[in-house]
Amino acid sequence: MSEPAGILAIDAMGSDLGPSEVVHGLALALKKKPALDGILLVGQEPLLLSLLEAEKVKDNGRVRIVHASEVIDMDDRPLQAIKQKKDASMLRAIDLVKTGQAKGVLSCGNTGSLMAAGTLRLRPIEGFERPALAAIVPTENGFFILLDVGANPNTTPKQMVHNALLGKYYAQAVLGIEDPAIGLLTIGTEEGKGNELSNKSHEYLKAARGHINYHGLIEGFHVFDRTVDVVICDGFVGNILLKTCESLLINVKHYLTHQLKKNWMRRMGALLCLRAFREMKQQFNPDRYGGVPLLGLQGTIIKAHGSSNATAIQNAIDVGYNMIREHKTSALQDAVAKVNAGIEEL
Amino acid sequence: MSEPAGILAIDAMGSDLGPSEVVHGLALALKKKPALDGILLVGQEPLLLSLLEAEKVKDNGRVRIVHASEVIDMDDRPLQAIKQKKDASMLRAIDLVKTGQAKGVLSCGNTGSLMAAGTLRLRPIEGFERPALAAIVPTENGFFILLDVGANPNTTPKQMVHNALLGKYYAQAVLGIEDPAIGLLTIGTEEGKGNELSNKSHEYLKAARGHINYHGLIEGFHVFDRTVDVVICDGFVGNILLKTCESLLINVKHYLTHQLKKNWMRRMGALLCLRAFREMKQQFNPDRYGGVPLLGLQGTIIKAHGSSNATAIQNAIDVGYNMIREHKTSALQDAVAKVNAGIEEL
């Protein structure tokens, strides 16, 4: 095999559904986009070769395999795994970015390990302190961006402003929103009603208004009504919120499915409405927008859900390529330098 | 009017829907429970008299009016309102409890004012530091208790253990769950993965296992699947979570309603499923369990939603009576003393 020179390194091994699902997703992406090129598929070579063969994908330059003998499992302790599994597919994939052989990584693996290894090996963009995970959350008529959803559970007010900048650039670059409105999630729209972190962050965010379109404080009631394009919060709140909303949607779906099967009349009615239910499922599907990027690093890292199916993988590959194309390190570096200077003056 | 000696003081004035809705809810409650007695209806006497008359409720001992000339509005600043509107219905109602003329208060008014005035005038039960708001959140096959949902946005680890105790007694007394399982909401079930507050709280909660059935850490994914009966978190997280879930449900409902009206086939199907949709709406209705109690004070305070309709008011009156009947101040005092001693030893 020649020296790999790729664009997106895909960790094929860490998924809950196994490497076959990842490879199937890749095959779908390749079929859909004939121009897609520069994939480095990282994992156990013999296994990946046979999976690619089964999908009728050839190792022909569009896709090359990079061998890695180990796998970081979901229940591995993140930092321990990074230390002990030196030849893990996830770490090899990140190293391909570090050494300039790829520009981004996509992984469904252990979130903690991905964030820790990504942060340690790729380092934050100058001026930023910590990366942030940004989720795209679907709503009835679009979506909003929520960050941080778990990279940094002990966010500081300064890091909250950094997250606002990261959210702004992400919304612009990948979603095409020109001047995204940014809101700080708290428990009431009166100033001073939140906790210490949100009150201080609000002060800093107001001071950064020359650099971001800061709408102000928003409460939970307004998260889904698209008052703002980007909702920022600390990684503890964001992670709980995202997972709880997913859990609520599953709960509602179970209940409704059960109710609709209760008698023949309802079953018939449900049949007539089938397309409406399918559209709803599709509309609120958290996998619709593929992976969740870890923003603020010198290189693109996309975390896909551990149980991503092939379609989700396919979408995540899309997101990965968009992000790599639009990665604006120097613009972010300029903006954060100004924002940091503004905070110093407060 | 004779000296009022009542059980539940109802602030008739603070509701978004006006006093007529509150009085209508009261009329429903009186009709449903002929034994209901000892209501003190607090607000502008002439207005309340005419509303009671319109509802054909007589001021006959079951209900007595206590006049208060002022009203705290939703957009009043909580502490300012308490200082300036001395004759506000909400404050008069709380004072009836303070002076022993009633045992509990029900209000739909300004949450901040109710919590502040309640805490200042009724004081926490000995051993507790701050009260907590507890919501009952409906799920597909029951409910869970979530606290704190906003009384204390800067909760400390010690107060988190207090919230666990309050949640336990509330679940036992009002919901009849003998030994409620309690979970601490965080961002992963491995120890040390949360923020500083959740990690320290987890330590304290483990030490309190002699007094509470502490299940351990739970993440957002498991909030709605009834892994535990009582979910505890700080007031910042809880408030955001509760409001966001409400916002998501409204969003999903809008979307589905719109989809089901798109063509005649769907409209017909929806008609056949109408009862299923109604049952779902009822099942996940946050007003089903009436008011949200402010736990941990020397007296019962129930906060009903600002826009509670008559049915929600009726349910809240029920909750109020149950809580007053089951108010276990001395048991809570004993338990918290032991828990506090345990924390001291850590």
Side-chain angles (χ1 to χ4, degrees):
Chain A
M1 211 175 80
S2 67
E3 187 66 15
I7 296 168
L8 184 65
I10 300 179
D11 166 18
M13 307 303 293
S15 156
D16 287 348
L17 305 180
S20 61
E21 195 71 21
V22 177
V23 173
H24 185 46
L26 171 59
L28 292 177
L30 290 166
K31 200 178 287 175
K32 199 176 149 204
K33 298 210 167 167
L36 199 68
D37 196 11
I39 296 281
L40 303 177
L41 194 62
V42 190
Q44 284 150 12
E45 188 163 17
L47 175 65
L48 295 180
L49 267 175
S50 73
L51 288 173
L52 284 175
E53 207 168 311
E55 295 282 350
K56 298 194 172 70
V57 174
K58 281 185 194 135
D59 184 351
N60 62 359
R62 292 182 77 191
V63 179
R64 299 191 208 170
I65 294 173
V66 178
H67 180 68
S69 63
E70 292 177 290
V71 181
I72 295 178
D73 295 314
M74 283 300 173
D75 41 6
D76 276 335
R77 295 183 73 89
L79 289 172
Q80 209 173 330
I82 295 174
K83 275 188 205 153
Q84 290 172 354
K85 296 185 169 176
K86 300 269 183 216
D87 198 34
S89 54
M90 180 195 285
L91 304 182
R92 286 276 168 246
I94 293 171
D95 281 343
L96 289 169
V97 179
K98 193 179 174 189
T99 56
Q101 292 167 285
K103 290 179 175 152
V105 175
L106 167 63
S107 175
C108 316
N110 186 309
T111 312
S113 294
L114 185 64
M115 288 188 305
T119 310
L120 291 170
R121 293 177 186 210
L122 300 188
R123 308 303 307 159
I125 295 171
E126 201 189 315
F128 288 89
E129 295 170 354
R130 297 286 306 265
L133 276 172
I136 301 181
V137 185
T139 70
E140 59 168 324
N141 47 19
F143 53 79
F144 63 92
I145 294 172
L146 181 69
L147 83 164
D148 173 32
V149 296
N152 183 9
N154 291 302
T155 313
T156 66
K158 191 178 177 188
Q159 291 161 357
M160 205 77 103
V161 187
H162 293 176
N163 290 354
L165 268 184
L166 294 171
K168 170 188 171 175
Y169 276 75
Y170 180 52
Q172 284 181 334
V174 178
L175 302 167
I177 305 171
E178 207 174 308
D179 190 22
I182 294 170
L184 176 65
L185 191 55
T186 181
I187 63 175
T189 48
E190 303 148 46
E191 292 192 345
K193 229 189 142 181
N195 61 10
E196 285 157 23
L197 172 62
S198 71
N199 292 335
K200 192 83 184 167
S201 302
H202 179 53
E203 243 180 76
Y204 284 10
L205 286 160
K206 282 193 294 182
R209 270 190 175 135
H211 310 283
I212 48 169
N213 174 10
Y214 180 49
H215 166 91
L217 303 167
I218 68 161
E219 40 181 335
F221 288 138
H222 299 295
V223 165
F224 277 88
D225 68 11
R226 294 294 322 280
T227 302
V228 295
D229 304 299
V230 179
V231 174
I232 57 171
C233 58
D234 69 78
F236 189 79
V237 169
N239 185 280
I240 288 176
L241 205 62
L242 190 71
K243 290 176 177 169
T244 304
C245 285
E246 238 182 281
S247 145
L248 173 57
L249 283 175
I250 293 171
N251 210 263
V252 165
K253 188 186 151 225
H254 275 178
Y255 183 85
L256 189 59
T257 308
H258 180 75
Q259 288 301 320
L260 290 173
K261 286 181 178 167
K262 261 197 172 166
N263 60 43
W264 68 266
M265 196 169 80
R266 291 182 184 184
R267 277 196 295 270
M268 198 154 87
L271 215 60
L272 294 173
C273 301
L274 203 58
R275 286 182 66 96
F277 295 131
R278 283 205 187 130
E279 282 162 22
M280 183 162 86
K281 195 181 158 192
Q282 176 61 11
Q283 181 72 21
F284 287 94
N285 179 4
D287 289 341
R288 235 174 99 199
Y289 299 99
V292 172
L294 187 62
L295 302 172
L297 295 176
Q298 296 176 32
T300 296
I301 296 196
I302 311 280
K303 160 74 183 129
H305 209 294
S307 57
S308 295
N309 62 17
T311 312
I313 298 285
Q314 183 192 350
N315 293 338
I317 291 172
D318 249 18
V319 170
Y321 272 85
N322 281 336
M323 288 208 51
I324 287 166
R325 199 175 48 233
E326 304 284 349
H327 203 267
K328 295 213 167 36
T329 305
S330 63
L332 269 168
Q333 220 166 292
D334 285 355
V336 81
K338 285 175 195 152
V339 161
N340 286 345
I343 290 174
E344 292 294 314
E345 277 171 27
L346 281 182
Chain B
M1 208 175 82
S2 67
E3 188 64 17
I7 296 169
L8 185 66
I10 301 178
D11 166 18
M13 307 303 292
S15 157
D16 287 348
L17 306 180
S20 60
E21 196 71 21
V22 177
V23 173
H24 184 46
L26 170 60
L28 292 177
L30 290 166
K31 201 179 283 174
K32 198 176 150 205
K33 298 212 167 164
L36 198 69
D37 196 11
I39 297 280
L40 303 177
L41 195 62
V42 189
Q44 284 150 11
E45 189 164 15
L47 175 65
L48 295 181
L49 267 175
S50 71
L51 288 171
L52 283 175
E53 206 167 312
E55 295 284 348
K56 299 196 171 70
V57 174
K58 280 184 194 137
D59 183 350
N60 62 358
R62 292 181 77 191
V63 179
R64 298 189 209 172
I65 294 173
V66 177
H67 180 67
S69 62
E70 291 177 291
V71 181
I72 295 178
D73 295 314
M74 282 302 172
D75 40 6
D76 276 335
R77 295 184 72 91
L79 289 172
Q80 210 174 329
I82 295 174
K83 273 188 204 152
Q84 289 173 354
K85 296 185 169 178
K86 301 266 183 218
D87 197 35
S89 54
M90 181 195 284
L91 304 182
R92 286 275 167 248
I94 292 172
D95 282 342
L96 288 169
V97 179
K98 193 181 174 187
T99 55
Q101 291 167 288
K103 289 178 177 156
V105 175
L106 167 64
S107 175
C108 315
N110 186 308
T111 311
S113 294
L114 185 64
M115 288 187 305
T119 309
L120 291 168
R121 295 180 184 206
L122 300 188
R123 309 300 309 158
I125 295 169
E126 202 189 314
F128 288 90
E129 294 169 355
R130 296 287 304 266
L133 274 173
I136 301 181
V137 184
T139 72
E140 59 167 323
N141 48 20
F143 52 80
F144 64 91
I145 294 171
L146 180 69
L147 84 164
D148 170 32
V149 296
N152 183 8
N154 291 301
T155 313
T156 66
K158 190 178 177 188
Q159 290 162 357
M160 206 77 102
V161 187
H162 293 176
N163 290 355
L165 268 183
L166 293 172
K168 170 187 169 174
Y169 276 74
Y170 180 52
Q172 284 180 333
V174 177
L175 303 165
I177 306 172
E178 206 174 310
D179 191 21
I182 294 170
L184 176 65
L185 191 54
T186 180
I187 63 175
T189 48
E190 303 147 48
E191 292 192 345
K193 229 188 141 181
N195 60 10
E196 285 157 23
L197 171 62
S198 71
N199 292 335
K200 192 85 185 163
S201 302
H202 179 52
E203 242 181 77
Y204 284 9
L205 285 160
K206 283 194 294 184
R209 270 192 174 133
H211 310 282
I212 48 170
N213 174 11
Y214 180 50
H215 167 90
L217 302 167
I218 68 161
E219 40 182 335
F221 288 138
H222 299 294
V223 164
F224 277 89
D225 67 12
R226 293 293 322 281
T227 303
V228 295
D229 303 299
V230 179
V231 174
I232 57 171
C233 59
D234 69 77
F236 189 78
V237 169
N239 186 281
I240 288 175
L241 205 63
L242 190 70
K243 289 176 178 169
T244 303
C245 286
E246 238 183 280
S247 144
L248 174 57
L249 284 176
I250 292 171
N251 211 262
V252 166
K253 190 187 151 224
H254 275 176
Y255 183 84
L256 189 58
T257 308
H258 179 74
Q259 288 302 319
L260 290 174
K261 286 181 177 167
K262 263 196 170 167
N263 60 43
W264 68 266
M265 197 169 79
R266 292 182 186 183
R267 277 196 294 270
M268 199 156 86
L271 215 61
L272 294 172
C273 302
L274 203 58
R275 286 181 67 96
F277 294 131
R278 284 206 185 129
E279 282 162 22
M280 183 163 86
K281 195 181 158 191
Q282 175 62 12
Q283 181 72 18
F284 287 94
N285 179 3
D287 290 341
R288 235 175 99 200
Y289 299 101
V292 172
L294 187 63
L295 301 172
L297 295 175
Q298 297 175 33
T300 296
I301 296 196
I302 312 280
K303 160 73 183 129
H305 210 295
S307 56
S308 296
N309 61 18
T311 312
I313 298 284
Q314 183 192 346
N315 293 339
I317 292 172
D318 248 18
V319 170
Y321 272 84
N322 282 337
M323 289 210 47
I324 287 166
R325 200 175 47 235
E326 303 286 347
H327 203 268
K328 296 214 164 33
T329 306
S330 63
L332 269 168
Q333 220 167 292
D334 285 356
V336 82
K338 285 174 196 152
V339 161
N340 286 345
I343 290 174
E344 293 293 315
E345 279 171 25
L346 281 182

